[in-house]
Amino acid sequence: MLSQLSIDPVRPAEFPAEESILALGRQVLETTESWKVGKTFSKGTVQTLSRAKGPGDGAPWHCRISKHTKEDATFDEFWSKIGVNKPENEMQFIAAIKKVTLVKRISETQSIWTMYYTFPPPVSPRVFTVLQTIYFYESTPRIGLVVSIPVDLSGPGDEDLAKLEEKGTKGRYVSVERLLELDDGTVEWRMATSSTPGGSIPNFITESSMPGQISADVPHFLKWFHTIRNQGTA
């Protein structure tokens, strides 16, 4: 039974129920309100927060929050890229992601994905494999939620799935991403994550760079989205 979200990987035979994963994701988001406030990025439009490693955590947690008008993207536009085939879309605006593979579609709202990242030398390529659980609340306000937990495909019975992973150092991350439609039509985009790149990269280097790294995804997404929106292919 999964009692909290962490970077500890889960085997497919031990996947929790979707409802359990979503409930744990909502818990993480609720706690971000009391996390330590960090730097802002992208001309003050992205606020970062963090929480030190606690009991059961494999690594500290980091969060970013940004708010967006319809000129940036509407709620539906955001959700069409974050709530649908998220890894494939991320490969379009996160330069380090070179390949994504859908390992297994479990249901309409749950899939296993593996992502292959490359970095400048001397850092070797990294492989991240996750179970993504997606939920859309057609309520007022509308909410879209994506929870990703790390997956271990090295166990017996998962050999065929493991063949779909690229060769590289295994990293792990857990993340909770939420789109919240506010009363005035603006969208709050909140993402909390905990991760380890694996290998021999010192933790202090990884942790010190996390706020800037996760914040950069916001302007990168908007630049990519506006390009395809202007081309009429969004």
Side-chain angles (χ1 to χ4, degrees):
M1 178 67 184
L2 198 66
S3 60
Q4 70 182 81
L5 297 183
S6 78
I7 58 171
D8 293 335
V10 182
R11 292 185 52 206
E14 298 165 357
F15 284 165
E18 290 190 30
E19 294 77 15
S20 299
I21 294 173
L22 293 167
L24 292 171
R26 285 192 291 268
Q27 281 180 20
V28 169
L29 290 175
E30 286 165 8
T31 67
T32 61
E33 298 291 351
S34 61
W35 290 8
K36 181 182 177 183
V37 177
K39 293 180 180 178
T40 61
F41 293 86
S42 196
K43 298 179 180 177
T45 60
V46 183
Q47 175 68 59
T48 62
L49 309 163
S50 64
R51 190 191 87 195
K53 182 178 170 180
D57 289 328
W61 281 82
H62 297 270
C63 178
R64 62 164 164 80
I65 307 168
S66 53
K67 291 184 179 177
H68 303 274
T69 64
K70 292 177 181 177
E71 286 70 35
D72 281 348
T74 65
F75 180 90
D76 290 315
E77 287 173 329
F78 268 115
W79 186 243
S80 73
K81 304 305 177 195
I82 292 171
V84 181
N85 293 332
K86 182 173 181 281
E88 291 182 344
N89 291 322
E90 286 179 333
M91 189 168 66
Q92 307 304 314
F93 65 88
I94 299 177
I97 304 178
K98 301 304 182 188
K99 183 178 181 181
V100 302
T101 301
L102 175 60
V103 174
K104 184 177 183 180
R105 190 175 296 281
I106 297 169
S107 70
E108 284 296 305
T109 52
Q110 203 168 50
S111 302
I112 303 173
W113 293 86
T114 185
M115 288 147 283
Y116 179 71
Y117 286 67
T118 62
F119 303 95
V123 180
S124 59
R126 293 298 192 266
V127 177
F128 294 88
T129 301
V130 296
L131 172 70
Q132 289 198 338
T133 304
I134 294 166
Y135 194 78
F136 180 72
Y137 299 82
E138 187 63 78
S139 54
T140 304
R142 290 191 296 171
I143 299 171
L145 194 62
V146 182
V147 182
S148 302
I149 63 172
V151 174
D152 176 10
L153 296 179
S154 65
D158 296 325
E159 293 86 356
D160 288 344
L161 300 181
K163 288 176 184 175
L164 296 172
E165 291 182 309
E166 293 293 317
K167 298 292 185 286
T169 301
K170 295 283 173 61
R172 301 191 304 278
Y173 78 85
V174 56
S175 69
V176 187
E177 202 151 358
R178 184 185 70 189
L179 295 171
L180 172 64
E181 188 176 42
L182 303 175
D183 289 340
D184 60 359
T186 60
V187 177
E188 183 198 83
W189 185 8
R190 183 179 296 244
M191 194 277 292
T193 187
S194 179
S195 65
T196 175
S200 58
I201 301 175
N203 284 340
F204 75 89
I205 293 178
T206 306
E207 291 302 318
S208 63
S209 66
M210 279 295 288
Q213 281 187 2
I214 62 175
S215 295
D217 290 348
V218 176
H220 290 166
F221 170 86
L222 293 174
K223 182 180 179 182
W224 166 70
F225 180 73
H226 291 161
T227 299
I228 60 172
R229 179 204 258 171
N230 293 336
Q231 291 172 345
T233 55

